[in-house]
Each structure stands twice: as structure tokens, then as C-alpha cells.
Amino acid sequence: MSEVRFWETKTLAQMNAQEWESLCDGCGKCCLSKLIDEDTDELYYTNIACVLLNSKSCRCSDYENRFAKVPDCVKISLDDIDAFHWLPPSCAYKRLIEGKPLPQWHPLLNKGKASEMHKRGASVRGKIVCETQLTGPSQDYIVRWPLDECE
Ligand code: SF4
Ligand code: SF4
């Protein structure tokens, strides 16, 4: 029996809650601090991680209560499509809305496992510093890799 690739047959708006959640690869990039250049509006990613981000699993350590614990945590939703512009190029939500396929390492294409994503360096694993352990200004932590294009 062939696998049902719901993300190829449904729009984001047509997906149910379980399908929507499964699109998240758990890369952790959206949980990094971002900076905006006030003069140019250019977006910069840092490798500064939210205090709730688990540096090994790259998942939120308290997903259910995240909005109570981190008030500026952003819910990825079609109700706030403007927020999509700061999502990384690898993000499944952003890619689908731009008409792009999921990357080859996405868990949905790898039996639900995130190992291929981590192996390819497509997650934040091993590259981040917790926001509680900074030793300098945020600008010192600017990195380019979250904005890398992906396969
Ligand atoms: S960037 Fe997108 S795919 Fe990655 S963790 Fe955030 S919402 Fe999920
Ligand atoms: S609260 Fe959780 S989901 Fe929100 S930014 Fe922090 S780690 Fe990410």
C-alpha cells in the first residue's frame, strides 16, 4: 500500500491538528533569538536559545505550558501569516506555503525519526547557547546557519 503524503494533497488550511503538528520537524531554529536591523529591516538569527529549549532533543521542554512560561513564544499559525517571514528556509510550514517540498531529511520522510535531520546538521543540536548563559551582547551571537538553504 502506498504511503499517504497528506502534505502533498492538502493545503495547510485543510490539515487537521495532528497533521499540522507532525509537520514540525523539531529543528528548534524558531526557538532562537532573532535580531532586526532597524535601518534595513534585515533579519539576523543568533544561536541564543530560549530557556525552555532542550539542547539535545531540540524540542520545547514544556510545550503544553510554553505560552505561560515564555510570553513572547510565538504560535505558528495561519492566523498569523506575517510571522512566517522569520521562520528558517528549512521550516516545513514556510516551505509548503512557498510551494516547496519537504527536505529529504524531514521526519515525515524518515519513518517519523529526527535522526537524519540531526545527522545532516539541520537542527540546532550542538550549536546553541542558553539565553541564561550569555557572556556578551546578543550581537556577538549572530550566526548564518539557521538561514542556510536546505535540500
Ligand atoms: S522552524 Fe519550523 S519546523 Fe523547525 S521547529 Fe520551528 S516550527 Fe518546527
Ligand atoms: S517556549 Fe518552547 S516553543 Fe516557545 S520559544 Fe521557548 S522553547 Fe521554543
Side-chain angles (χ1 to χ4, degrees), residues 7-24:
W7 61 93
E8 293 177 347
T9 58
K10 291 184 175 184
T11 65
L12 286 173
Q14 291 169 333
M15 291 178 192
N16 62 38
Q18 188 268 331
E19 290 167 338
W20 175 274
E21 284 297 319
S22 71
L23 277 180
C24 177

Side-chain angles (χ1 to χ4, degrees), residues 84-97:
F84 278 52
H85 82 274
W86 56 257
L87 289 170
S90 62
C91 178
Y93 302 106
K94 184 166 185 165
R95 291 182 69 81
L96 292 184
I97 218 156

Side-chain angles (χ1 to χ4, degrees), residues 93-106:
Y93 302 106
K94 184 166 185 165
R95 291 182 69 81
L96 292 184
I97 218 156
E98 291 176 344
K100 296 175 181 170
L102 295 185
Q104 289 305 308
W105 44 256
H106 194 285

Side-chain angles (χ1 to χ4, degrees), residues 80-144:
D80 185 14
I81 203 115
D82 287 349
F84 278 52
H85 82 274
W86 56 257
L87 289 170
S90 62
C91 178
Y93 302 106
K94 184 166 185 165
R95 291 182 69 81
L96 292 184
I97 218 156
E98 291 176 344
K100 296 175 181 170
L102 295 185
Q104 289 305 308
W105 44 256
H106 194 285
L108 285 172
L109 297 170
N110 290 275
K111 300 184 174 136
K113 296 193 186 309
S115 48
E116 190 62 20
M117 172 181 69
H118 295 308
K119 200 168 92 186
R120 301 256 197 123
S123 71
V124 303
R125 183 180 283 177
K127 304 175 193 163
I128 56 176
V129 55
C130 180
E131 62 184 339
T132 60
Q133 293 175 354
L134 304 187
T135 56
S138 303
Q139 289 87 336
D140 290 356
Y141 293 86
I142 288 174
V143 287
R144 292 294 307 168

